[in-house]
Each structure stands twice: as C-alpha cells, then as structure tokens.
Amino acid sequence: MKNSLIIISLSFIFAVSCKKDKSMSQRMIEAKTPTATKKPKQLIIHDDVRIDNYYWLNDRENNDVIDYLNAENDYTKRMMRHTEAFQKVLFKEMKGRIKEDDTTVPYKLNGYWYLTRYEKGKDYPIYVRKKGTLKAPEEILFDCNAMAKDLAYFNLGGISISPDNTMAAFSTDVVSRRQYVIQIKNLITGEIYPDKIANTTGSATWANDNRTLFYSRKDEITLRSHKIYKHIINTTEDKDLEVYHEKDETFNTFVYKTKSRKYIVIGSSSTLTTEYRFLDANTPHEEFKVFQKRTRELDYSISHYNDSFYIIANSDGATNFKLLKTSEIHTEIEHWQEVLPHREAVLIEDIEIFKDYLVVNERENGLNRLRIMSWDGKEDYYLPFNSETYTAYIGNNPDFDSDVLRYGFNSLTSPSAVIDYNLKTKQSKIKKEQQVLGGKFKKENYESRRVWATAKDGVKVPISLVYKKGIKLDGQTPLLQYAYGSYGSTIDPSFSSIRLSLLDRGFIYAIAHIRGGEYLGREWYENGKLLTKKNTFTDFIDCSKYLIEQKYTSAKHLYAYGGSAGGLLMGAVINMNPELYNGILAAVPFVDVVTTMLDDSIPLTTGEYDEWGNPNKEEFYHYMKSYSPYDNVEAKAYPNMLVTTGLHDSQVQYWEPAKWVAKLRELKTDSNILLLHTDMDSGHGGASGRFESLKEVALEYAFLLDLEGIHN
C-alpha cells in the first residue's frame, strides 16, 4: 500500500505530524473520559480488609452499569475515530486474504464423506455430506447462514450423527453464554423434531439403538457441567433420566463415544484429577462402570481398540505421562501394563490407533513430534520437521482400518496444511494448503527463529519470533509480544494470515513460551501455577527485557498482548514493570482474581482451585492478592491500553475488565490512552461469524499502529 502513495514534501509530512499530535491532545480533552461512580464495598476475609469501589458494576441488569459500559464504548469510538478509515482498510485487507468460497478436506465416516464449505459473501459455514463417493449428490445438513439470520450472535455447537446415518443431534447458542440448546434433525425428511434440551454444553452422544442420546447439562448459576442425562427421541426434556451427577464442585463432567463406537464414556475432570465410567453402547439402559476410581492427582485418559483400553496416565510419578494398556474386563490401575515408559524429557500429549500402527503425539524441547510405531515392533520412527517454529498435530482419523494418517502442519512462516501420510508406503500427500489471497504473500519473504531468554532464577525461557526479512534489528522496531501461560495450555508457533497486517508494516511478532504452559513438559506447567504462579509473570517480563537488550525492540516500541488468563498476565506485568511497554492489548482479561475466586457462584470458580489456589485458605489468599491485577493498581504511570470484553462472557465476567479500567482511570498518573470496548452482543469468544470478529482485530491493530505513527 505504501508504494501506491504519492511522494510528498518533508515539510508537509512534518505539518501533518504536528497536526496529528495536536489533535491527539485535543481528543483527550474533548472526548470526556468516562468516570465510574465510587461506591465503596468492604470485603473481609482472614482478618484482611479490601475496599472495592467498583463492586457494583457486577450487575448487568442495572441500567447504570449498562450506561457506564456504553459511555466507555462511546469514548473508545471518539478516541479512535481518526483511525476509522484505517480500520476499514485493515478489515478489508485481512478479509481479502481469506478464501471466501472455501471447503475443508473431506473425511469418511460410516459410509459418508463429510465436509464443511463456505460461500462468498457469507459469514457462516455450511455442513454437507455425500454418500459413498465424493461424486455423489451433496446433502446439506446445516446452513448456518440461514440459521443465523437476524441474530446478533449465533454458534452451531456439536453435530452428532446417529449410527444409522438418519438423524443429527445438533446444538445452538444465540446468546454467547455457552449454554447450548440441543435439537434433533431428521436427515431424510429435513424435519426438526420438537425435542429441545436447554442449558447443555452442546455435545450429544448417540447410543447404538439410534434412539438414545446422552448429554451433559450445566448448573444454571455456575454453568459448571455437573450432570449427565439420557434422552429418548420424541420425548420431552422433563422425561430425561439423570444417569450421573458430579457432586464435587471442582470437577466438570462430559460424555462421548469411543472411536471404536463400542462404548459410551462419562468423564469427570479437574485440573489435576480425572475419572471415567463406561457403558456398552448397545445396552444404553444398563449401569455405567467405573474405569478407575478417582485418586487425587491421578490424571489419565482412555482410548479403546479391539478388546483393550489404552491409557495415557501420570501414575507412579510419570510427570510427563506414559502409555499403558489393559483389558476391557479388568480396567483398574493394578491391571495396567506399560506400553511406552515415562521419559523425563518427553511429554506424551495424544495417541492415534490404527490396526497396524500406533501414532504418538509427543513434545520434546518444546517441539511437536509425531512418532510412528508398528504393532509388530518392526518400525519406530519420527516424521521429519525441519524447523524450530512450527506446529504439527494429529488430524481427523475416524477409521481404525486405514493405512493413512491425516495430520496438520504449519509454521510461523508457512500456511496451514492438511497432509495424508501413508503408513505403508511412507509417502505424503498435501490434501490442502491454506490459500493466502491478495497476491502479496510469499513465505520466503518472512523469517522465523527461536531464541532463549534467561529468567531471574536462571531458567531458560524460549521465544518464537517471526518478522519480514530485511527489517532492521536496531532497537527501533515495533514488536508485539504474546503469551498465555496458564492451565498447561501450550501456545505453539502457528501461521496467521491476519498477523501479516502487522508484519508487513514492520512489526516483529513474538510468542513467549512462559511457565504455566506445557511447552517444555509438565514441570513447565507445575512451576507456573498455585504458589509458583508469579514465575509466569516474571518469565514474560524477562523475555521483554531480553528482546530489548538484544535490540529486537525498545521500551518505546514494545507492545504486549494477552487474553483471558493471558489478560491476567497483562495486568500483572504492567503492575510490576509498566515502563517496559508502550502499549497493551488485554482481551477478556481475568484481572479481579481474588474476588472472583472467592465467589463460588461464578462460572468456573470452584474448578479453578487447582490452578490458582483456594483463597478461602489463608496462604493462597495472600499469595493471590499479591499479584491480582485489580488489587494492585497503584498511583503511577501505565502504558497505553486497549481492553476488550463481552457483556455475556461466561468465562471471564465483563465486570472484571470494567472494574479494572475504572480503577486505572482513578489512580493512574499518566496521560496515556486507556480504552475499554465491550461487545454488547457477545461473550468470551467475541463476535460470531468468520468476518465480524476481524473488525475487533482491526480495532486492536489500528490502536497499535497508531501508537507507532503508522496510518496506512
């Protein structure tokens, strides 16, 4: 785009620059910064008193709360008005790279080929299938564009096809609270049955009789999935039978069918512990049997093949997990036999079973590895990936009898590819590679690398970097540093066509693989939670210092981004070292940690105790309070900030960022920009539809680029 601009005189550029600076200060004065009313509330526990002036914002039914959020939205709009044309350019640019009339790679299941396609000019997917062959006539299962018509938000949840292929259980959420309504569609006649099951997780599992459905229901208040029900088609919801109740408030429950289609499985999980029950799918009205009763900190998962179960478990001190096997008859832990031993340096993440092969998804030194092992013991090797900044994962492989492994691969510089690897011939075939439209992208124009920062305790923390070749690494380059760092969730270095809008304008993008994730194995996670949670924050800060010291950027050009628990990270690091960053993007940030974790009526709270600690216990309370972003806002200078949230967010309630921004406005001593944007129609995942969410990205990118003086 820069090449298309007419070259103008330096004096004119200077005049425009001065005018911009003046208009910025004018905007700060004229926009009338919103001010939330202070209504002090005293919060007391463990003989400790906290005063929360903005506690009252936690009532979305209060008109004053809505008025305040609207006032913040109006302020954000006014402050960003000068970038509106640029936002449209960014939106058009990002949308223009996406192939609108796109189709997923088909997969075959139970005699049908299934695929998802998109049509030009439409936001939502169309789910279709073809019987027997890809040349067969197309059957449209669900056209989400028609289903979403006239709705501010729409999400189609799980689709579950009955064993006889005649029906589909499907779920919808039109509020963005992740409370799905399950319905059943007759795929022969197109009729949608009157059955409506509300307040579910969205997934449903058919028994083999084609009449019985199992599903998980949520607690109305906490939204914890706590009960499994059995539904018989063409009956009303009130007739559904409760088959399992997970009474431990730190656990969630779910239900699924094994790949073998032989068993219905009920799972219960907390952060550290799991438990499973199973039932023959041919006898859905029998009782479920416990696979292995829960034992504190025994974390395991199960897969079924032939007459055996395969178990990935951390039993006997296997921190990085090991693979075991047991018969269908004797499933208790004393009968588990080792297939793959525990290794200190290798994390077992997943497996895929074929009739002749076992495929293991491992992670060593932060890198994904796909290990191919023949059951006869004659073959044992890894698929080669020649990079340090890539993501590889096992794809959709529903057929045990196949000789083809489908997997996905992409890197920071290479678009996503779906690849079929023939386990017999060892030949690979790229079934589809993501197209980046617009005619400007060439992967060879970008460079990626992995570097290692030294944390304050001497631990080496990896950072994945990507940037356009040829940029100067002189300390003046803008850099966006991203991380998450919680729940053992690993942020792998993956490709993004959207991110090109920053890279092509001279930004470096960095992923800090900090503790709290599992990038370097399970211990990497264990050392970033509970009473070691601060390692997550100091790791991020030490990565920032390293990037500055190595002249990838400087404090004047360093930006940080995190969402949800990553938003907690943003709040913590700017309380600890605000001087390191020129700007912060905090999306749906979890920032009022203490108050939220003390309120067990809020969704997710009780299930989070193993991650953050239970503040009803004094040791965890004081540690949590020492880093909670909201509780540690001080009268000092903070970076420029854009904070985003959704009114209906069920994961991080909207009032956390709202309260945080209000307190920052009250106490911060700088004149930097502070913006809060609340999507009044959406929740934790943002706007629905393929392209609507890009408008929020355009706002975020415009915010960053504007701070860098980049306007085209």
Side-chain angles (χ1 to χ4, degrees):
M1 186 170 292
K2 290 182 179 179
N3 293 335
S4 65
L5 296 178
I6 300 174
I7 298 175
I8 52 180
S9 69
L10 290 176
S11 60
F12 183 75
I13 293 173
F14 179 76
V16 170
S17 176
C18 291
K19 184 176 180 180
K20 176 188 177 297
D21 289 341
K22 182 180 179 182
S23 63
M24 174 61 78
S25 61
Q26 287 176 337
R27 285 196 299 277
M28 296 287 286
I29 296 170
E30 296 170 1
K32 297 180 182 178
T33 307
T35 303
T37 304
K38 293 170 67 173
K39 301 179 182 180
K41 181 176 178 64
Q42 194 175 75
L43 303 170
I44 305 174
I45 188 173
H46 306 306
D47 296 322
D48 185 63
V49 179
R50 291 181 300 134
I51 303 297
D52 189 344
N53 290 320
Y54 305 106
Y55 188 89
W56 66 276
L57 287 171
N58 73 348
D59 181 7
R60 65 170 57 82
E61 303 301 322
N62 185 331
N63 289 334
D64 290 340
V65 172
I66 300 302
D67 288 345
Y68 171 68
L69 296 177
N70 284 329
E72 287 283 3
N73 280 349
D74 290 342
Y75 178 72
T76 297
K77 189 172 181 62
R78 289 195 300 274
M79 289 296 294
M80 294 297 292
R81 183 167 291 150
H82 66 292
T83 71
E84 285 181 354
F86 188 28
Q87 288 180 50
K88 291 178 180 177
V89 169
L90 289 168
F91 172 78
K92 184 177 179 181
E93 179 179 289
M94 290 185 287
K95 182 181 178 183
R97 296 193 194 100
I98 299 171
K99 191 176 189 305
E100 292 194 50
D101 53 340
D102 204 2
T103 303
T104 61
V105 179
Y107 67 91
K108 194 173 186 180
L109 178 63
N110 200 20
Y112 281 82
W113 288 94
Y114 289 87
L115 56 100
T116 305
R117 61 178 176 81
Y118 295 86
E119 293 182 351
K120 193 168 185 178
K122 295 183 178 180
D123 258 332
Y124 294 92
I126 301 170
Y127 294 90
V128 304
R129 70 178 182 178
K130 299 182 178 185
K131 187 174 182 179
T133 171
L134 287 171
K135 294 181 179 179
E138 176 184 274
E139 298 177 35
I140 294 180
L141 304 178
F142 298 98
D143 183 348
C144 294
N145 299 285
M147 298 170 76
K149 187 179 180 182
D150 300 325
L151 294 173
Y153 179 90
F154 175 82
N155 184 37
L156 181 68
I159 300 173
S160 180
I161 306 296
S162 63
D164 64 2
N165 294 315
T166 64
M167 291 172 289
F170 68 99
S171 60
T172 55
D173 173 14
V174 298
V175 179
S176 191
R177 286 284 287 174
R178 300 188 183 183
Q179 291 173 283
Y180 290 86
V181 175
I182 293 174
Q183 294 176 270
I184 299 168
K185 181 177 181 179
N186 186 311
L187 299 179
I188 307 303
T189 66
E191 175 190 3
I192 295 179
Y193 295 154
D195 316 47
K196 275 193 175 184
I197 309 169
N199 193 36
T200 77
T201 60
S203 63
T205 300
W206 290 94
N208 289 344
D209 63 358
N210 299 295
R211 287 183 47 78
T212 308
L213 272 177
F214 293 88
Y215 64 90
S216 48
R217 179 170 281 165
K218 293 188 170 186
D219 182 281
E220 289 278 3
I221 304 300
T222 67
L223 302 189
R224 180 175 71 92
S225 55
H226 68 313
K227 292 181 179 180
I228 303 298
Y229 280 84
K230 180 169 59 178
H231 175 79
I232 308 299
I233 61 171
N234 294 321
T235 63
T236 55
E237 180 183 353
D238 61 318
K239 298 289 195 303
D240 291 358
L241 180 67
E242 178 186 311
V243 296
Y244 179 67
H245 182 189
E246 178 51 71
K247 295 181 180 179
D248 189 326
E249 293 183 346
T250 66
F251 280 73
N252 289 286
T253 188
F254 51 93
V255 62
Y256 67 94
K257 184 183 283 188
T258 58
K259 178 178 173 179
S260 65
R261 306 178 206 167
K262 184 174 180 179
Y263 291 106
I264 305 291
V265 179
I266 293 176
S268 291
S269 69
S270 69
T271 303
L272 300 176
T273 309
T274 53
E275 181 182 63
Y276 293 90
R277 290 165 167 76
F278 64 105
L279 172 69
D280 192 316
N282 291 312
T283 57
H285 306 300
E286 299 293 327
E287 295 293 320
F288 280 82
K289 176 188 175 184
V290 175
F291 188 90
Q292 160 59 39
K293 68 178 182 180
R294 71 187 62 180
T295 302
R296 174 72 177 170
E297 298 189 19
L298 173 60
D299 189 1
Y300 71 96
S301 60
I302 59 176
S303 301
H304 178 258
Y305 180 58
N306 282 342
D307 58 355
S308 300
F309 282 99
Y310 290 81
I311 308 119
I312 299 175
N314 65 349
S315 53
D316 303 316
T319 306
N320 278 334
F321 297 90
K322 58 184 176 180
L323 181 63
L324 306 111
K325 177 183 178 181
T326 194
S327 73
E328 296 173 313
I329 307 302
H330 302 292
T331 61
E332 296 78 10
I333 193 168
E334 58 266 26
H335 301 289
W336 297 359
Q337 298 177 338
E338 189 174 277
V339 177
L340 286 177
H342 172 255
R343 288 159 290 170
E344 294 291 341
V346 180
L347 175 68
I348 296 178
E349 294 190 322
D350 194 11
I351 62 170
E352 190 70 76
I353 298 172
F354 296 91
K355 63 176 181 178
D356 295 324
Y357 293 89
L358 171 69
V359 180
V360 187
N361 191 345
E362 302 177 346
R363 185 181 297 274
E364 183 174 14
N365 196 32
L367 304 180
N368 302 121
R369 306 196 309 173
L370 297 183
R371 182 179 182 182
I372 313 297
M373 304 173 66
S374 61
W375 289 117
D376 62 13
K378 293 180 179 179
E379 294 183 281
D380 186 351
Y381 61 95
Y382 291 89
L383 294 183
F385 302 122
N386 300 316
S387 173
E388 283 192 326
T389 56
Y390 71 89
T391 300
Y393 56 92
I394 297 173
N396 190 4
N397 296 274
D399 187 2
F400 283 116
D401 292 332
S402 176
D403 291 328
V404 175
L405 165 70
R406 176 164 291 177
Y407 71 94
F409 177 87
N410 69 88
S411 73
L412 285 175
T413 59
S414 299
S416 299
V418 176
I419 302 168
D420 279 358
Y421 175 76
N422 191 299
L423 298 162
K424 296 289 188 184
T425 67
K426 299 181 174 56
Q427 298 297 308
S428 294
K429 183 176 182 181
I430 297 176
K431 301 296 290 184
K432 179 176 181 159
E433 185 174 57
Q434 175 188 355
Q435 288 184 261
V436 182
L437 304 183
K440 296 181 179 179
F441 172 75
K442 293 182 180 179
K443 62 181 73 175
E444 58 268 23
N445 291 340
Y446 301 86
E447 185 174 343
S448 66
R449 65 173 65 174
R450 186 170 64 161
V451 297
W452 298 77
T454 303
K456 60 188 299 183
D457 59 358
V459 171
K460 296 290 186 180
V461 182
I463 309 169
S464 296
L465 299 165
V466 63
Y467 46 86
K468 199 164 186 180
K469 286 181 179 177
I471 67 169
K472 292 182 179 179
L473 302 178
D474 57 1
Q476 302 305 307
T477 305
L479 187 150
L480 179 60
Q481 181 181 335
Y482 170 75
Y484 185 72
S486 291
Y487 304 106
S489 178
T490 298
I491 306 300
D492 283 311
S494 58
F495 182 81
S496 168
S497 67
I498 295 170
R499 190 188 301 138
L500 296 174
S501 291
L502 287 181
L503 302 185
D504 289 349
R505 290 175 172 85
F507 264 75
I508 299 172
Y509 184 79
I511 302 171
H513 303 289
I514 54 182
R515 280 173 282 188
E518 275 186 353
Y519 187 79
L520 291 179
R522 187 71 176 183
E523 285 292 336
W524 201 243
Y525 168 48
E526 296 292 340
N527 290 320
K529 67 182 181 72
L530 296 175
L531 297 175
T532 60
K533 188 62 204 172
K534 288 183 184 179
N535 285 337
T536 300
F537 316 136
T538 55
D539 280 0
F540 190 90
I541 289 167
D542 290 331
C543 287
S544 298
K545 291 177 178 178
Y546 173 86
L547 292 169
I548 291 171
E549 290 166 1
Q550 298 299 311
K551 296 196 179 299
Y552 285 100
T553 190
S554 64
K556 290 182 179 179
H557 300 286
L558 178 57
Y559 303 89
Y561 169 57
S564 195
L568 160 63
L569 171 66
M570 295 299 99
V573 301
I574 62 169
N575 280 334
M576 297 166 73
N577 286 91
E579 76 284 354
L580 290 177
Y581 309 97
N582 188 40
I584 298 289
L585 295 175
V588 292
F590 174 41
V591 286
D592 191 13
V593 185
V594 177
T595 306
T596 291
M597 293 303 297
L598 283 169
D599 186 352
D600 59 14
S601 71
I602 294 176
L604 301 183
T605 293
T606 55
E608 305 280 283
Y609 288 159
D610 286 335
E611 178 71 23
W612 312 102
N614 182 351
N616 292 294
K617 298 177 180 179
E618 191 166 357
E619 180 183 28
F620 289 110
Y621 170 82
H622 288 295
Y623 186 78
M624 197 178 291
K625 183 184 174 186
S626 72
Y627 68 73
S628 175
Y630 182 66
D631 290 290
N632 288 282
V633 173
E634 298 175 326
K636 62 184 178 186
Y638 284 91
N640 298 287
M641 295 175 61
L642 171 60
V643 182
T644 59
T645 187
L647 182 64
H648 301 290
D649 197 331
S650 61
Q651 312 301 107
V652 178
Q653 307 295 321
Y654 74 88
W655 58 76
E656 293 199 38
K659 288 168 56 177
W660 185 43
V661 168
K663 191 172 184 179
L664 282 164
R665 289 208 189 286
E666 174 194 352
L667 295 178
K668 75 188 192 83
T669 59
D670 58 85
S671 58
N672 289 329
I673 303 166
L674 174 60
L675 304 177
L676 172 65
H677 173 69
T678 304
D679 188 326
M680 305 301 280
D681 296 316
S682 77
H684 199 63
S688 61
R690 274 199 301 170
F691 305 121
E692 195 63 27
S693 60
L694 293 179
K695 293 179 180 178
E696 186 167 296
V697 179
L699 172 66
E700 293 171 342
Y701 281 11
F703 177 78
L704 297 176
L705 292 163
D706 187 52
L707 291 173
E708 281 295 310
I710 300 171
H711 304 107
N712 55 59

